[in-house]
Amino acid sequence: MAGGSSRALFFFTVFAVTLFGTKAEIKYTVEVGRFFSYELMRETFQSDFEPLSKLYAGRLYDDPMVFKCNKQNFPDLPEWLRFTQRHSYDNGFLYGTPTSPGKSIIEIYAVNKRSYETTRQILVVKAVPAKLLPYQAEFFIKLREIEKVLPSSVQDEIKQDLQNLWATDKLEIVNITNALDRGGRVPLPLAGHFEGVYVKVASEDYFSNCLQKVLTAEHQRACSSGSKVKVPSGCNFCSFASNCISWCSTELFDLTQQEPSLPPPTVGSGILDAGEVFQPPESPESRDYFPDYIVTVIVPLILALVLCLLLTYVMCGRREGVTKRNAHTNQIQLYHHHTIHGNTDELRNMANRRSDFPPPLSTQPMFNFRTGERAAPLRSDSPNVPLIMAQHDPYSDTLPR
């Protein structure tokens, strides 16, 4: 009975694990100053979404997925860690270089865009102290994109080419950065256009002869002129054309020659020593406000006075006057002007003399041209008043005899 019950418990445990899945933590240990990358495989999360259908029904789904990553109990990732996923049908990548020792717990959420199910995975990255490699070099690979470089197989290819260029096997990848994060331009969505990546490697061995040619004045002059720089002879070690580096963007760093940084300031405890008592000032120090008064009040008043004097001079002292204006005016134009004034005065005088005589009958309202009698005002309740007598009395004879 005991053996049968133990076997039943074992099968029940296997069935429960198969049905509900396990959420074990994935742990990684990385040295400070070394590059870390972790690929989020869609197949792994697909098995969490459809575990029974894969085992028994024989159905295999290829659902689009979107990954969301953040540090546990925080909205974002640690400052040294980055995430990228180009498309929902592509795998995601977490990558970066830790700068200080410590442990980071990363929560990875996968959202199935077909069924909108969600699953979670815990990734624990522990950064341990390590020796800083003194000689470092940064290369720009123009024909690559960050998603195509992060897989471990591609990193091994690039590392092998750079080992041949450095002439050493003791080479470590320090960092890989997207060119867009370094201020690069977004390429056109056409074939043959790539974003580019920066790959930084380090070693304990000094730079090879090929790398030292980057420091020569001739090479720097050729790069600054903008002309196409040829690969130095005997220094072309890229096994694939897409892994070839741009020599003008290559930089070398010798950390042994750098000046040591200043020590940080000593932070006190914030507590006064025994026996010392802080005496606050009884009153604030006196302050002279006269300079502020001059700048705030006197200076604007002086500027306003100067502007008033200038405006007075322009309006009053710069006027021509009638005599000076006539002296500069053409005589023909001046004679024509005076003629117009004289004729205007004469017409006004003639109009004033006509006021002594009665106005002609034609200017009076509604008169009989044969008798000269004026028509009496019309009295009518209608708002339409006839303007001609024939309209008022249709039987009157208005024709001349």
Side-chain angles (χ1 to χ4, degrees), residues 313-381:
Y313 171 73
V314 171
M315 296 297 295
C316 300
R318 299 291 296 177
R319 295 177 65 89
E320 291 183 344
V322 178
T323 305
K324 189 175 181 179
R325 183 190 62 188
N326 293 341
H328 289 283
T329 306
N330 191 359
Q331 294 298 324
I332 298 177
Q333 183 179 358
L334 191 61
Y335 175 76
H336 180 67
H337 178 72
H338 287 299
T339 303
I340 294 175
H341 274 280
N343 295 338
T344 303
D345 294 338
E346 184 178 357
L347 290 174
R348 287 176 178 174
N349 293 331
M350 292 174 63
N352 291 333
R353 288 196 299 268
R354 275 177 44 182
S355 61
D356 299 336
F357 301 93
L361 296 177
S362 60
T363 61
Q364 300 299 320
M366 302 305 296
F367 73 100
N368 192 327
F369 70 94
R370 290 183 296 175
T371 61
E373 296 179 353
R374 297 183 183 181
L378 299 178
R379 300 185 181 275
S380 175
D381 296 335

Side-chain angles (χ1 to χ4, degrees), residues 58-334:
R59 293 180 299 174
L60 296 177
Y61 290 101
D62 187 18
D63 299 332
M65 299 182 191
V66 176
F67 298 100
K68 305 292 182 181
C69 305
N70 63 279
K71 186 177 179 180
Q72 192 175 40
N73 300 326
F74 289 88
D76 299 323
L77 290 170
E79 59 181 7
W80 62 270
L81 194 61
R82 295 184 178 181
F83 171 75
T84 181
Q85 183 186 15
R86 180 73 64 171
H87 194 268
S88 58
Y89 284 96
D90 299 334
N91 295 334
F93 290 93
L94 284 168
Y95 66 98
T97 303
T99 56
S100 60
K103 183 173 69 172
S104 300
I105 302 177
I106 309 301
E107 294 179 337
I108 304 173
Y109 294 91
V111 181
N112 191 324
K113 302 299 289 184
R114 179 184 63 87
S115 60
Y116 292 95
E117 294 180 273
T118 304
T119 184
R120 189 183 72 156
Q121 189 179 83
I122 301 297
L123 175 66
V124 180
V125 182
K126 183 179 181 182
V128 296
K131 181 182 178 182
L132 183 64
L133 300 178
Y135 305 105
Q136 299 181 2
E138 187 177 60
F139 305 95
F140 178 64
I141 303 178
K142 185 178 181 180
L143 302 180
R144 282 290 191 179
E145 293 180 344
I146 189 66
E147 294 84 359
K148 305 300 180 182
V149 174
L150 293 177
S152 57
S153 59
V154 181
Q155 292 185 38
D156 294 338
E157 295 176 0
I158 297 176
K159 183 178 179 180
Q160 182 65 36
D161 294 341
L162 295 180
Q163 285 178 350
N164 297 333
L165 178 61
W166 202 304
T168 182
D169 294 335
K170 300 177 181 180
L171 197 68
E172 297 291 339
I173 296 179
V174 175
N175 194 14
I176 298 179
T177 310
N178 190 355
L180 299 182
D181 298 335
R182 302 279 295 271
R185 300 184 62 180
V186 179
L188 296 174
L190 301 175
H193 294 76
F194 302 91
E195 296 174 355
V197 294
Y198 287 92
V199 179
K200 194 173 186 179
V201 295
S203 175
E204 295 182 351
D205 299 336
Y206 193 69
F207 307 112
S208 63
N209 295 330
C210 290
L211 293 177
Q212 294 181 28
K213 293 180 181 180
V214 178
L215 304 176
T216 60
E218 180 181 0
H219 175 81
Q220 295 178 1
R221 187 165 49 251
C223 291
S224 61
S225 63
S227 59
K228 186 177 181 181
V229 179
K230 297 182 180 179
V231 180
S233 58
C235 298
N236 189 5
F237 293 101
C238 55
S239 56
F240 298 95
S242 58
N243 294 339
C244 293
I245 64 175
S246 176
W247 284 90
C248 285
S249 301
T250 302
E251 295 186 23
L252 305 181
F253 305 93
D254 188 357
L255 302 184
T256 60
Q257 302 297 331
Q258 294 183 356
E259 298 181 358
S261 58
L262 297 176
T266 303
V267 181
S269 61
I271 302 175
L272 296 176
D273 296 336
E276 296 184 7
V277 179
F278 176 70
Q279 297 292 341
E282 296 180 357
S283 62
E285 298 179 358
S286 61
R287 179 180 175 184
D288 187 10
Y289 291 97
F290 184 71
D292 298 339
Y293 173 77
I294 292 177
V295 174
T296 307
V297 179
I298 303 301
V299 173
L301 288 178
I302 294 175
L303 291 178
L305 181 60
V306 171
L307 292 177
C308 289
L309 294 177
L310 181 61
L311 182 61
T312 304
Y313 171 73
V314 171
M315 296 297 295
C316 300
R318 299 291 296 177
R319 295 177 65 89
E320 291 183 344
V322 178
T323 305
K324 189 175 181 179
R325 183 190 62 188
N326 293 341
H328 289 283
T329 306
N330 191 359
Q331 294 298 324
I332 298 177
Q333 183 179 358
L334 191 61

